[in-house]
């Protein structure tokens, strides 16, 4: 078992190493235009499922955290250094998640969904109002010398970090606790787990990651304004990608992110009006045909093959 | 005074929309996040009737209500019932139905975008002033409020004074026990879900007479309706009406005194207060 884990670790490291070489391919503009969003969604979807996977709480707050991160970078760029800003984004995102979590996670799942559904819009309205009345400008420019390749490498690094954390959590008491909560919250409470605290902790983690992703992506926008930074569509994209891939495994969301992002780009390029319809159909497909995601389907097939071999 | 009445008129329509959602969630146990899209479909119907035939948009109600009823009945039986059967517990049904209705809502938005395009729609009908208590209000708002009040009253009577209403309330309290006293739970749930959809669509037609809308505005009304339902307490019609009027007032207050761009923020402020201090709803008794 130990050896198997070591082999797996080496394999994962190898894959990350190969992926990191991607920007070195010459004349790679179109490739990078696809690779950066995929890397971004990979981080968002995987960190989303750290919390929402085991608990089944559907969080639609990703856009809110992402926007907070983007704004942190855009507004602080002239005052603070870049690494410090990423840290601040993580703290602000985590702080917002803590507030939201402490308000809603004591209650049942529906309240949480509804609250997060409007959260991005709420913050967008507040930021717009503040900018209209106090700063006078609608957005702010982000001028940096950060290249597309550097954004990609940062996202890849974040993805590795999410995987590492997810793996550690799964082996820890925290991971065990959150799985029990997901199975039966009442049982969890009776076995002495502080359910609210456990949920809030994991939610903070996923919120912090989304905020850092927002900060990392901000230089790519050049101009950061509320309706773009807090676009509610982002939250739904993350949810459908993660569920499509399968949230019961750490690597599951990846299987959803890559195909979905590619198809999405194709549709957005050829039929720009139909992306909403496509997203709706994807949701329905996930719910009705592959509730366990691609990962679940894969595991089932593997299991069958193994059984046939064994028998 | 102006704020009070304008808020009241708005709140009356919100009450209607929220009652539709409350029925669907309280009885059929489906948190229908596509409710806002039914509303937008109703709004388009009103727009279409007025611009194509130049008759009162209220004529649209005569076909919007039965069509929306039939459509939602089919949705429940074809798409949602399989989820109800599959679910092992209420939590799983909640997650499944939330995701499924999100899907439906996006599909409906996509279809409406295809049919009508992404532009804003509005028409001017009965935009004449009417004087009430010393200040002027536009007639279309007042009429919409009156019609909404009539429909709300009708629903209230239906649920509290008829035999069908009794079985609806029974299913809301406990579906299993309702089955034991010879109530066809599946049928009642489907009927209630359809009724809720029809009410939402009717609310959309009313709204279209004084509000500018577009194909993707539905989610805003879904959020507002959800906030109202939770404020009022799930399945509690009286609570929903009070909460809707409170929300209408709060929004009008914020829009006139502070900034029209902050209406959703106002709704959320109320929502947070309720979640923090009375999570069981304004008139709710039991804890969640």
């Amino acid at each position: 078992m130990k050896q198997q884990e070591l082999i797996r670790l080496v394999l994962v490291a190898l894959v990350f190493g190969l992926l990191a070489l991607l920007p070195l391919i010459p004349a790679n503009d179109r490739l990078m235009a696809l690779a950066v969003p995929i890397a971004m969604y990979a981080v968002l979807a995987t960190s989303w499922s750290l919390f929402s996977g085991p608990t089944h709480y559907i969080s639609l707050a990703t856009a809110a955290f992402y926007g907070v991160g983007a704004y942190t970078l855009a507004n602080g760029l002239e005052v603070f250094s870049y690494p410090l800003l990423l840290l601040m984004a993580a703290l602000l995102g985590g702080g917002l998640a803590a507030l939201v979590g402490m308000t809603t996670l004591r209650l049942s799942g529906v309240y949480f969904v509804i609250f997060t559904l409007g959260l991005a819009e709420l913050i967008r309205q507040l930021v717009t109002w503040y900018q209209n009345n106090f700063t006078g400008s609608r957005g702010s420019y982000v001028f940096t010398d950060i290249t597309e390749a550097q954004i990609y490498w940062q996202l890849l690094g974040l993805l590795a970090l999410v995987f590492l954390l997810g793996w550690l959590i799964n082996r820890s008491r925290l991971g065990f606790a959150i799985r029990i909560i997901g199975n039966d919250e009442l049982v969890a409470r009776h076995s002495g787990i502080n359910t609210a605290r456990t949920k809030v902790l994991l939610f903070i983690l996923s919120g912090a990651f989304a905020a850092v992703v927002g900060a990392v992506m901000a230089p790519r926008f050049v101009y950061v304004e509320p309706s773009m930074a807090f676009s509610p569509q982002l939250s739904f994209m993350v949810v459908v990608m993660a569920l499509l891939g399968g949230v019961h495994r750490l690597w599951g969301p990846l299987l959803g992110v890559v195909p979905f992002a590619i198809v999405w780009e194709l549709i957005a390029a050829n039929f720009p009006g139909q992306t909403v319809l496509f997203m709706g159909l994807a949701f329905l497909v996930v719910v009705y045909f592959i509730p366990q995601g691609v990962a679940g389907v894969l595991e089932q097939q593997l299991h069958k093959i193994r059984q046939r071999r064994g028998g | 005074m102006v704020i009070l009445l304008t808020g009241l008129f708005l709140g009356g329509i919100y009450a209607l929309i929220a009652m539709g959602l409350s029925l669907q969630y309280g009885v059929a146990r489906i948190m229908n996040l596509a409710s806002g899209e039914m509303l937008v479909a109703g709004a388009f119907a009103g727009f279409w009737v007025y611009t194509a035939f130049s008759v009162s948009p209220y004529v649209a109600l005569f076909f919007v209500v039965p069509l929306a009823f039939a459509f939602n009945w089919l949705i429940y039986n074809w798409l949602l019932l399989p989820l109800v059967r599959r679910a092992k517990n209420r939590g799983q049904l909640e997650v499944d139905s939330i995701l499924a209705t999100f899907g439906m809502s996006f599909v409906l938005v996509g279809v409406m975008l295809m049919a009508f395009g992404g532009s804003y729609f509005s028409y001017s009908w009965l935009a004449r002033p009417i004087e009430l208590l010393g200040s002027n209000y536009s007639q279309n708002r007042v009429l919409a409020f009156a019609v909404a009040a009539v429909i709300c009253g009708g629903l209230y009577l239906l649920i509290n004074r008829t035999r069908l209403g009794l079985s609806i309330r029974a299913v809301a309290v406990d579906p299993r026990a309702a089955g034991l006293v010879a109530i066809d739970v599946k049928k009642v749930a489907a009927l209630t879900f359809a009724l809720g959809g029809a009410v939402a669509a009717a609310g959309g037609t009313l709204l279209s007479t004084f509000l500018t809308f577009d194909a993707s505005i539905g989610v805003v009304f879904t959020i507002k309706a959800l906030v109202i339902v939770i404020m009022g307490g799930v399945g509690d019609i009286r609570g929903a009406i009070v909460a809707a009027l409170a929300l209408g007032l709060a929004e009008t207050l914020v829009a006139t005194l502070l900034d029209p761009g902050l209406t959703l923020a106002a709704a959320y402020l109320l929502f947070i207060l309720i979640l923090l201090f009375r999570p069981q709803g304004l008139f709710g008794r039991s804890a969640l």
Side-chain angles (χ1 to χ4, degrees):
Chain A
M1 211 53 200
K2 260 277 160 66
Q3 204 182 356
Q4 219 177 353
E5 269 182 359
L6 199 69
I7 293 172
R8 224 182 262 174
L9 191 70
V10 171
L11 271 178
V12 172
L14 210 65
V15 171
F16 268 101
L18 279 178
L19 285 174
L21 295 180
L22 207 61
L24 302 182
I25 300 170
N28 57 6
D29 287 356
R30 290 191 61 187
L31 188 69
M32 288 312 287
L34 198 58
V36 170
I38 288 181
M40 174 188 100
Y41 284 120
V43 181
L44 291 175
T46 312
S47 61
W48 180 85
S49 57
L50 281 186
F51 167 73
S52 295
T55 56
H56 312 296
Y57 279 83
I58 309 289
S59 159
L60 292 166
T62 313
F65 302 134
Y66 181 90
V68 165
Y71 259 84
T72 310
L73 190 89
N75 288 323
L77 207 54
E78 280 164 16
V79 192
F80 302 105
S81 69
Y82 184 75
L84 190 65
L85 280 169
L86 292 191
L87 189 70
M88 281 168 66
L91 288 178
L92 283 172
L96 180 64
L99 277 179
V100 174
M102 284 191 284
T103 321
T104 53
L105 283 174
R106 295 176 300 135
L107 308 162
S108 88
V110 184
Y111 295 73
F112 178 73
V113 179
I114 297 162
F115 194 84
T116 56
L117 169 63
L119 185 67
E121 179 65 18
L122 169 72
I123 298 180
R124 189 187 68 79
Q125 283 194 351
L126 290 176
V127 169
T128 311
W129 176 72
Y130 181 81
Q131 285 184 333
N132 283 346
N133 288 288
F134 299 103
T135 61
S137 72
R138 297 222 47 182
S140 38
Y141 287 95
V142 182
F143 289 126
T144 57
D145 44 12
I146 297 170
T147 62
E148 189 96 336
Q150 283 167 331
I151 292 177
Y152 174 77
W153 280 322
Q154 289 179 60
L155 291 171
L156 214 56
L158 277 175
L159 186 61
L161 193 63
V162 176
F163 268 100
L164 186 68
L165 271 176
W167 182 70
L168 286 175
I169 288 171
N170 272 338
R171 297 162 59 97
S172 70
R173 287 171 65 92
L174 185 66
F176 191 42
I178 202 79
R179 279 197 297 277
I180 299 175
I181 292 174
N183 282 330
D184 193 327
E185 194 153 343
L186 202 65
V187 170
R189 217 173 298 149
H190 282 283
S191 35
I193 294 169
N194 187 341
T195 54
R197 206 193 60 182
T198 312
K199 285 188 283 185
V200 172
L201 266 179
L202 277 165
F203 189 53
I204 289 175
L205 201 63
S206 80
F209 267 106
V212 175
V213 171
V216 168
M217 290 295 282
R220 207 167 171 252
F221 288 144
V222 181
Y223 185 67
V224 174
E225 53 129 11
S227 63
M228 218 162 63
F230 294 100
S231 147
Q233 183 175 288
L234 181 85
S235 308
F236 288 103
M237 297 271 284
V238 169
V239 172
V240 77
M241 284 177 181
L243 292 172
L244 181 69
V247 290
H248 60 293
R249 291 276 176 264
L250 196 54
W251 43 269
L254 278 185
L255 300 180
V257 168
V258 177
F260 192 93
I262 292 175
V263 176
W264 180 271
E265 291 291 325
L266 280 177
I267 292 181
N270 298 318
F271 314 96
Q274 309 306 326
T275 46
V276 185
L277 188 63
F278 169 66
M279 175 129 78
L281 292 175
F283 261 104
L284 293 179
V285 165
V286 168
V287 176
Y288 288 99
F289 300 110
I290 40 173
Q292 296 295 317
V294 178
V297 175
L298 270 182
E299 280 178 337
Q300 255 176 15
Q301 296 300 327
L302 271 178
H303 188 66
K304 264 189 205 161
I305 292 170
R306 265 185 209 150
Q307 263 185 341
R308 229 175 279 154
R309 262 195 211 156
Chain B
M1 200 63 216
V2 180
I3 294 174
L4 203 68
L5 274 182
T6 316
L8 194 71
F9 294 151
L10 192 64
I13 312 240
Y14 285 167
L16 189 63
I17 303 163
M19 268 171 99
L21 194 75
S22 181
L23 282 173
Q24 291 182 328
Y25 185 54
V27 182
R29 301 285 195 271
I30 302 283
M31 184 48 96
N32 182 15
L33 297 167
S35 150
E37 275 63 45
M38 280 322 297
L39 178 142
V40 176
F44 271 118
F47 175 79
W48 177 67
V49 163
Y50 180 72
T51 48
F53 307 106
S54 48
V55 289
S56 155
Y58 283 86
V59 173
L61 285 179
F62 289 106
F63 69 89
V64 161
V65 171
L67 271 183
F69 188 88
F71 183 66
N72 279 278
W73 193 81
L74 289 179
I75 284 190
Y76 185 80
N77 280 303
W78 284 353
L79 289 172
L80 297 172
L81 210 51
L83 295 182
V84 177
R85 291 217 183 90
R86 185 173 87 185
K88 285 183 219 87
N89 53 46
R90 193 161 170 197
Q92 200 197 347
L93 176 62
E94 236 155 40
V95 173
D96 277 351
S97 62
I98 283 170
L99 294 175
T101 51
F102 264 138
M104 288 168 210
S105 112
F106 283 122
V107 169
L108 286 173
V109 170
V111 170
M112 286 192 286
L113 274 177
M114 240 195 286
F116 301 102
S119 50
Y120 285 91
F121 292 86
S122 68
Y123 56 92
S124 160
W125 177 76
L126 265 191
R128 288 187 296 262
I130 179 173
E131 200 183 302
L132 288 175
L133 299 169
S135 20
N136 286 326
Y137 303 91
S138 74
Q139 284 180 12
N140 47 28
R141 274 178 192 256
V142 179
L143 184 66
F145 172 72
V147 174
V150 169
I151 300 178
C152 279
L155 275 176
Y156 187 80
L157 289 181
L158 174 77
I159 285 166
N160 285 305
R161 294 276 186 274
T162 65
R163 207 176 160 75
L164 176 67
L166 187 63
S167 42
I168 287 178
R169 277 180 290 147
V171 176
V173 173
D174 189 338
R176 279 204 11 230
L180 291 178
V181 292
I183 291 171
D184 187 345
V185 176
K186 242 183 291 171
K187 207 176 97 188
V188 170
L191 277 178
T192 317
F193 189 84
L195 189 65
V199 170
T205 309
L206 298 187
L207 269 178
S208 77
T209 59
F210 62 88
L211 206 77
T212 307
F213 60 97
D214 71 336
S216 46
I217 204 172
V219 64
V220 175
F221 289 98
T222 310
I223 293 181
K224 284 177 186 170
L226 289 168
V227 170
I228 293 168
V229 168
I230 288 174
M231 268 170 69
V234 173
D236 182 348
I237 287 194
R238 195 182 40 148
I241 291 173
V242 174
L245 296 179
L247 184 70
L249 272 180
E251 280 191 3
T252 317
L253 261 176
V254 169
T256 32
L257 299 182
L258 216 55
D259 192 312
L262 285 176
T263 50
L264 195 80
Y268 258 67
L269 186 67
L270 279 178
F271 189 31
I272 294 172
L273 290 177
I274 289 285
L275 282 182
L276 285 177
F277 299 110
R278 282 200 72 81
Q280 69 273 43
L282 286 175
F283 301 110
R285 286 144 302 190
S286 63
L288 280 162

